[in-house]
């Protein structure tokens, strides 16, 4: 079964992990989780088969069609194209990333 055209959901990978204390407050945990998700998404955007990502925010909002992410602690700068940024997002607001594959872009 070929699932290459399906949407992917990201959970931060092992390479995104840095040393963290054993016990984190809920605010610290939200920050670390958001940072890991955005670092994973940034790495995925380097792949030829990934068209863009959508970022889900804690307050129910989302940022769609992101093609560039720069994590600039404590925020991330996002853009729908390289060469600038459209929006700044606090790392602790990020709760999910949806990857849109290039082959899925042409589907209606």
């Amino acid at each position: 079964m070929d699932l290459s055209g399906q949407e992917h959901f990201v959970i931060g990978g092992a390479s995104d992990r840095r040393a963290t204390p054993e016990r984190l407050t809920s605010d610290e945990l939200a920050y670390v989780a958001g940072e890991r998700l955005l670092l994973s998404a940034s790495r995925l955007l380097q792949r030829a088969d990934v068209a863009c990502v959508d970022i889900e925010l804690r307050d129910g909002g989302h940022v769609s069609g992101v093609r560039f992410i720069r994590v600039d602690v404590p925020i991330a700068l996002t853009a729908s194209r390289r060469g600038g940024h459209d929006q700044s997002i606090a790392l602790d607001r990020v709760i999910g990333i949806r990857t849109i594959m290039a082959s899925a872009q042409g589907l209606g």
Side-chain angles (χ1 to χ4, degrees), residues 45-91:
L45 288 169
Q46 303 300 314
R47 294 177 27 177
D49 61 340
V50 174
C52 61
V53 298
D54 293 344
I55 302 170
E56 185 178 352
L57 304 175
R58 179 178 42 189
D59 62 3
H62 67 278
V63 183
S64 299
V66 174
R67 290 182 167 82
F68 175 75
I69 299 170
R70 186 176 88 209
V71 176
D72 193 12
V73 175
I75 62 169
L77 306 174
T78 65
S80 56
R81 59 181 174 26
R82 291 193 178 271
H85 73 277
D86 300 331
Q87 190 164 4
S88 300
I89 303 169
L91 296 179

Side-chain angles (χ1 to χ4, degrees), residues 34-49:
E35 180 184 42
R36 289 180 183 172
L37 284 167
L38 290 175
L39 289 172
S40 291
S42 180
R43 192 174 54 255
L44 283 169
L45 288 169
Q46 303 300 314
R47 294 177 27 177
D49 61 340

Side-chain angles (χ1 to χ4, degrees), residues 1 4 7-8 12 14 20 44 47 51 56 67 79-80 92 103 106:
M1 175 191 275
S4 61
E7 295 175 344
H8 291 70
T20 56
L44 283 169
R47 294 177 27 177
E56 185 178 352
R67 290 182 167 82
S80 56
D92 62 353
S103 59

